Amino acid sequence: MASKRSEDEYGEKVNRAIVDTGVKMATGLVVGGVFSLVLFKRRTWPIAFGVGTGFGMGYSNAENDFQNKNAALLKRLQVDIQLHN
Amino acid sequence: MWRAAARGVAPRIKSSTVVKPLQQRCMSSGVPQKKGGKLKWFILLPSAALGGVAAYGEFVDPEVKKLMEENVYSPFQEYVYKPVMDMIAGSGKPAEEEQKPLVKVIPAKPVEKKPEPEKTAVKAPASPVPAAPAQPQPAGMSAKEREKLDIEQKLQQQREKEKAENTALESKLQELMNVCKTGLQEASEIQNEVISAVKKHAQALQTAMDDKTDILNKEGQWNAVTEAFQKRGVVTDNAKKVMDSLRLEKEKLKAMVEEARNNKSTKSNKILNQAQEAYNTVSSKLNAIESAIAKSESENRGLVKFNDLVEEGKKKFQKELESLMPDVKPGKGKKLSEEELNSLIAHAHRRIEQLQHQLANHLALEKERIQEALDMQRKADESVCDRRIEDEAQKIKNNVDLEKQKWGEEARVQFEVELRQQLARQAAAHSDHLQEVLKVQEQELLQKYERQFNLKFIEERQAFQAEIAGWVARLKGIETAVENRAAAEKIAREAQDLWLACLALNGTIRRGKEEELAWEERLKPLGNEIVAVYDAAGNHPFVNMIVSTIPEKAYVRGVWTEDTLRERFEKVSSVCKKVAAIDECGGTLYKYFISYLQSVFISLRSYDVKNLNDQVDVESMDNFEILANASYWMDRGDFEAAVRYMNQLQGEARKVAGDWLKEAKLLLETRQAAFALTAFASASGLGTVF
């Protein structure tokens, strides 16, 4: 199933992002729930916290996936060289 | 029913009003059918069939006629017709007429012959007998030989027939001769008997008349005379019969001999001579017998005459007596009266006187009478003599004829032999001469022939050589032409091969593996086709160079087909559109989201598309314009233009379209090479055509 076509990578990245985020959010939910149940006397805020944490993690993963830091670094260096020259 | 129709009512057709068949009608009318009506069919039909078959056999098919003859006509003839006809005719005549067909004499044929010595008179003049006997010839003989054989057979038949005739004749003649001999013996016996009878009769008569001693037995003597006379008559009759029959036989014999002499086939039968001799003897003997009998008869005739005269005298005397004495009947025992006696005596005396007178007369005329008698006798003798002489002459003549015949035959035979000898000698001389002449001629002809032959031969040979030279030159020309042609064809063939290989390559590039569905699996390595092209080109540098430009990936893995790339382009262009605003550094999710939003609101169709020949300022075009152009040209089918535009993408879009671009570039390169090769192949092919 791993399609090596370059045009599919974008779609795959998006899929991964969504799935990842969803999983993390669900995990956060569960952990938050557990925490809420266990530690925090059934308050709602650990769940929200968990979900949010999950979402945040997923989002940052997705962003790292989409970004290409090497190329950015290279470009900056090129610009710098050009500026220097 | 029609009345019903006339009335205007629908006609009702009852089943009972259907026309009754004939039988029922007749039955209903009370006349019964003839029971014997079938018999005539039993006779008519077979005869009609026979007649039909006979007519068919007559006019249409002879085979059928043959069959009919075998099975129908001949049995009918044998078992029905012939017995009936025999019964009608009474006695059936034997069908022996087939035995003597008259064979026509075959006219002369110029064939060497050896005539047979004894039957030369039998054959027609110059009818040949071929030297080879009538052996059964092989089946494949010519018409001439067949004719010969026919002639031989006919002659054989003829000879056989003659033989048969001759033997028949011989047997008949032999029979006749035997009969004549026996008849002759009989006749001679009878002759003796007759002569003896005649003599006896004469003697008896003599005694009866002259013998005066035994007067008392006159009656007895006269009886004896009559007896002897009767016997003589009987014997004479017998003799006559025998001689008549013998004469008949003799005549028959003579006739037969004459006939046989006239008949060519039996002319020279030896038995004829024998028969002739026999005839001669028989006739001569017969004549002798007859003459002897006549002689004895004539001898005794005088006596008989005398007896007759005496009887006559006696009768006269008696008459006179009666006239004188009509009452007296002699033999009666009545005594005669004196007158009567006296008259009787007177009459007797008168008679005596008369008789004495007569006697004196007679004595006087005796000499003359004797002379007359002698003359008569002489005449008789002469006639007898003449007859004898005739007989002898006849006999001599017959003998002479016979001798002549014999001599003639002998002479003929001799002549034949001599002639044959002479002919043989002549033939030998002739053949010798011929041989010599032929030898000389042969030599001459041989020389002439050799001279001419040599001349002709030399001529012919020269002519032949000249022709051959011409032909050889032509042949050489043809050979060179053919070789050139072969070379040209070889080049053409190679060009064709190359062209075909290029076509194959093109086809593979265009289609790939058609049966697969997934795009990746449609890739077909071009290795085989390229190798084929390489081989077909021989070692052409141009081909080598071009083939070397084909990227290795095409060899090994194959190229994407244009169609698949087109299909792929849809997705590529849509994804590119989504990330069009992002550069190669990638971007935050936010940027991606904004780019996506932008793409939603932009439609590629809103861009003006540049023409192909315009100069394009690549820097000024943003991704969207590029994509618009590319997709426009892709839709219009210009793959190359689309690829060119897609190559101008920047940033993330470029990365996204990277694979596609790679494949597209590969395809374009390979296609270019393939087209170059095809062009080259076509060019070289065209060169060979003209």
Side-chain angles (χ1 to χ4, degrees):
Chain A
M1 283 288 278
S3 165
K4 285 205 316 221
R5 294 188 209 154
S6 53
E7 64 264 24
D8 296 334
E9 222 171 292
Y10 171 77
E12 275 179 21
K13 275 187 194 167
V14 169
N15 289 347
R16 262 182 285 159
I18 293 170
V19 164
D20 204 29
T21 311
V23 164
K24 282 184 171 54
M25 278 167 70
T27 315
L29 183 77
V30 166
V31 168
V34 164
F35 268 116
S36 146
L37 277 174
V38 168
L39 284 176
F40 293 109
K41 297 174 213 170
R42 306 243 178 132
R43 303 251 178 112
T44 52
W45 61 267
I47 295 174
F49 182 75
V51 171
T53 312
F55 176 74
M57 282 198 284
Y59 183 89
S60 83
N61 269 347
E63 202 167 305
N64 282 335
D65 202 4
F66 276 106
Q67 272 181 346
N68 190 2
K69 293 217 172 86
N70 291 333
L73 187 63
L74 212 67
K75 195 169 174 188
R76 252 190 287 141
L77 281 176
Q78 274 179 355
V79 166
D80 279 343
I81 289 165
Q82 273 181 0
L83 278 176
H84 271 291
N85 293 348
Chain B
M1 177 176 110
W2 298 113
R3 270 181 246 144
R7 263 185 270 143
V9 177
R12 239 179 342 149
I13 300 173
K14 287 199 289 187
S15 56
S16 58
T17 55
V18 167
V19 175
K20 293 188 206 156
L22 176 67
Q23 200 174 12
Q24 285 184 356
R25 260 194 270 156
C26 281
M27 288 295 207
S28 62
S29 67
V31 176
Q33 258 195 333
K34 279 196 298 186
K35 286 235 174 114
K38 297 227 163 95
L39 181 63
K40 63 173 185 271
W41 294 113
F42 275 121
I43 297 171
L44 276 179
L45 275 175
S47 49
L50 267 178
V53 172
Y56 180 78
E58 181 71 36
F59 297 116
V60 178
D61 195 358
E63 297 282 336
V64 171
K65 191 169 178 188
K66 267 190 219 159
L67 276 171
M68 283 284 283
E69 275 176 10
E70 272 175 51
N71 298 326
V72 176
Y73 295 153
S74 34
F76 176 72
Q77 260 199 337
E78 277 177 33
Y79 297 120
V80 176
Y81 186 73
K82 264 203 187 134
V84 169
M85 292 313 281
D86 285 346
M87 279 202 300
I88 291 173
S91 63
K93 283 184 190 163
E96 278 181 20
E97 294 165 10
E98 308 294 319
Q99 276 188 5
K100 291 182 189 171
L102 289 174
V103 175
K104 286 189 197 152
V105 173
I106 296 148
K109 236 189 165 191
V111 179
E112 289 297 312
K113 57 161 180 164
K114 283 184 201 161
E116 295 170 24
E118 71 269 7
K119 297 236 187 267
T120 47
V122 173
K123 295 184 203 130
S127 78
V129 174
Q135 290 161 354
Q137 301 273 345
M141 51 185 180
S142 63
K144 204 172 178 188
E145 287 177 8
R146 234 176 272 145
E147 272 185 24
K148 249 203 240 173
L149 191 58
D150 282 343
I151 291 169
E152 276 182 45
Q153 281 179 350
K154 280 192 186 143
L155 281 171
Q156 195 85 2
Q157 278 177 4
Q158 202 178 9
R159 257 180 271 151
E160 278 169 14
K161 192 188 75 143
E162 285 164 10
K163 244 190 229 167
E165 277 184 8
N166 278 336
T167 44
L169 183 70
E170 276 177 21
S171 60
K172 274 194 206 150
L173 286 176
Q174 201 75 30
E175 251 187 69
L176 273 177
M177 285 198 300
N178 289 340
V179 164
C180 285
K181 250 190 224 164
T182 48
L184 201 63
Q185 274 180 357
E186 263 188 58
S188 60
E189 282 174 20
I190 289 228
Q191 174 208 12
N192 292 335
E193 266 181 36
V194 163
I195 289 177
S196 64
V198 164
K199 268 204 185 118
K200 261 195 199 150
H201 177 231
Q203 267 182 2
L205 201 59
Q206 190 102 22
T207 48
M209 281 200 309
D210 294 337
D211 195 5
K212 300 199 175 46
T213 54
D214 204 1
I215 298 179
L216 291 170
N217 208 10
K218 257 317 170 186
E219 287 260 352
Q221 283 177 348
W222 284 113
N223 284 339
V225 167
T226 43
E227 254 186 60
F229 186 66
Q230 276 176 5
K231 203 168 163 195
R232 171 185 159 173
V234 162
V235 170
T236 317
D237 284 340
N238 230 5
K240 208 169 249 159
K241 265 192 234 164
V242 164
M243 287 205 299
D244 281 340
S245 70
L246 190 61
R247 203 165 292 143
L248 275 171
E249 295 293 323
K250 180 186 87 172
E251 289 308 315
K252 255 198 233 171
L253 184 66
K254 176 149 187 156
M256 195 158 278
V257 167
E258 285 287 325
E259 198 191 298
R261 262 194 219 284
N262 288 337
N263 190 356
K264 282 181 209 158
S265 55
T266 52
K267 217 201 272 198
S268 62
N269 202 342
K270 286 205 178 79
I271 200 159
L272 289 179
N273 290 338
Q274 281 181 16
Q276 190 81 11
E277 277 184 43
Y279 167 74
N280 291 345
T281 46
V282 162
S283 63
S284 66
K285 278 222 177 100
L286 200 62
N287 289 337
I289 289 171
E290 273 183 2
S291 58
I293 290 176
K295 189 172 142 193
S296 64
E297 273 188 356
S298 74
E299 273 177 4
N300 296 314
R301 199 175 297 136
L303 207 59
V304 170
K305 251 193 202 158
F306 180 62
N307 184 31
D308 285 340
L309 276 174
V310 167
E311 290 282 339
E312 215 184 284
K314 272 196 192 152
K315 277 193 184 124
K316 232 195 224 173
F317 186 60
Q318 246 178 3
K319 267 194 203 153
E320 282 173 9
L321 272 181
E322 273 184 30
S323 68
L324 276 176
M325 295 170 296
D327 301 330
V328 177
K329 279 141 193 141
K332 265 215 169 144
K334 206 172 158 189
K335 280 253 171 148
L336 299 165
S337 63
E338 240 184 87
E339 272 187 26
E340 286 174 351
L341 276 170
N342 283 338
S343 62
L344 185 66
I345 291 168
H347 177 77
H349 273 294
R350 242 182 281 142
R351 187 85 177 127
I352 288 169
E353 249 184 83
Q354 194 199 3
L355 282 173
Q356 274 180 349
H357 193 70
Q358 227 178 6
L359 189 63
N361 251 352
H362 275 288
L363 276 174
L365 298 171
E366 184 188 325
K367 256 196 181 159
E368 289 175 18
R369 290 255 169 87
I370 283 174
Q371 202 68 31
E372 273 182 33
L374 274 175
D375 282 336
M376 262 180 55
Q377 190 63 29
R378 202 175 296 138
K379 277 191 194 133
D381 277 345
E382 266 183 23
S383 69
V384 165
C385 212
D386 282 338
R387 227 174 116 201
R388 259 195 88 184
I389 286 172
E390 260 183 44
D391 289 344
E392 289 292 316
Q394 190 73 17
K395 192 166 155 190
I396 286 173
K397 199 168 121 196
N398 288 343
N399 278 342
V400 163
D401 279 341
L402 204 66
E403 287 288 322
K404 201 168 86 174
Q405 291 270 349
K406 277 194 197 152
W407 285 354
E409 277 180 22
E410 278 178 30
R412 218 173 289 142
V413 165
Q414 191 115 14
F415 289 151
E416 202 51 56
V417 165
E418 261 192 55
L419 185 71
R420 210 163 291 139
Q421 277 179 2
Q422 294 292 344
L423 278 174
R425 226 176 280 159
Q426 201 176 39
H430 184 65
S431 72
D432 282 341
H433 176 66
L434 270 180
Q435 262 189 357
E436 281 177 26
V437 167
L438 275 174
K439 256 188 221 155
V440 168
Q441 256 195 0
E442 194 188 324
Q443 290 297 327
E444 267 181 55
L445 282 173
L446 210 66
Q447 279 179 6
K448 255 196 222 173
Y449 170 73
E450 289 225 357
R451 229 177 294 139
Q452 276 200 358
F453 177 74
N454 282 335
L455 279 173
K456 273 272 163 62
F457 183 70
I458 289 168
E459 262 181 47
E460 282 287 315
R461 182 181 251 161
Q462 281 176 348
F464 184 66
Q465 276 179 348
E467 249 193 83
I468 287 273
W471 284 107
V472 163
R474 264 187 85 176
L475 194 68
K476 286 219 172 81
I478 288 171
E479 259 184 38
T480 34
V482 165
E483 274 170 14
N484 292 344
R485 184 87 200 157
E489 291 232 339
K490 192 167 158 200
I491 292 169
R493 166 70 66 72
E494 281 172 1
Q496 271 180 16
D497 284 347
L498 182 61
W499 190 75
L500 284 170
C502 291
L503 266 176
L505 183 62
N506 277 347
T508 315
I509 289 169
R510 199 157 65 79
R511 287 189 294 269
K513 280 193 209 169
E514 275 174 318
E515 58 272 8
E516 307 296 339
L517 289 172
W519 293 332
E520 267 80 12
E521 282 156 25
R522 290 235 187 126
L523 301 171
K524 189 171 176 187
L526 300 175
N528 287 340
E529 282 80 6
I530 292 170
V531 163
V533 169
Y534 188 76
D535 287 340
N539 208 6
H540 202 278
F542 180 72
V543 171
N544 289 351
M545 196 203 70
I546 292 194
V547 163
S548 64
T549 62
I550 296 175
E552 211 176 298
K553 226 174 181 184
Y555 276 92
V556 171
R557 192 207 61 166
V559 292
W560 280 67
T561 57
E562 189 176 321
D563 300 332
T564 45
L565 283 173
R566 257 181 233 271
E567 285 164 24
R568 199 171 159 186
F569 180 75
E570 299 290 325
K571 178 123 191 252
V572 166
S573 107
S574 74
V575 170
C576 283
K577 194 170 158 206
K578 281 180 201 155
V579 298
I582 298 173
D583 59 1
E584 67 263 23
C585 309
T588 58
L589 272 176
Y590 171 73
K591 257 197 187 171
Y592 272 95
F593 181 66
I594 293 296
S595 168
Y596 177 73
L597 209 61
Q598 190 183 17
S599 78
V600 165
F601 290 118
I602 288 185
S603 157
L604 287 180
R605 281 193 234 199
S606 57
Y607 286 90
D608 290 328
V609 177
K610 304 206 190 304
N611 282 329
L612 282 173
N613 296 328
D614 290 347
Q615 282 200 347
V616 175
D617 184 12
V618 180
E619 306 295 324
S620 65
M621 292 208 314
D622 64 347
N623 275 354
F624 285 110
E625 197 171 340
I626 291 169
L627 278 172
N629 274 302
S631 62
Y632 175 82
W633 288 116
M634 196 59 135
D635 285 340
R636 297 297 172 281
D638 194 345
F639 186 73
E640 201 191 313
V643 169
R644 277 219 299 258
Y645 275 113
M646 289 296 276
N647 204 19
Q648 309 310 318
L649 283 170
Q650 290 168 353
E652 185 67 28
R654 192 186 186 84
K655 211 163 61 146
V656 163
D659 271 349
W660 187 88
L661 264 177
K662 254 196 320 186
E663 297 299 339
K665 278 182 199 163
L666 187 67
L667 171 66
L668 282 174
E669 274 177 36
T670 319
R671 225 167 49 175
Q672 189 184 48
F675 282 172
L677 288 169
T678 314
F680 170 73
S682 307
S684 58
L686 275 176
T688 55
V689 165
F690 297 110

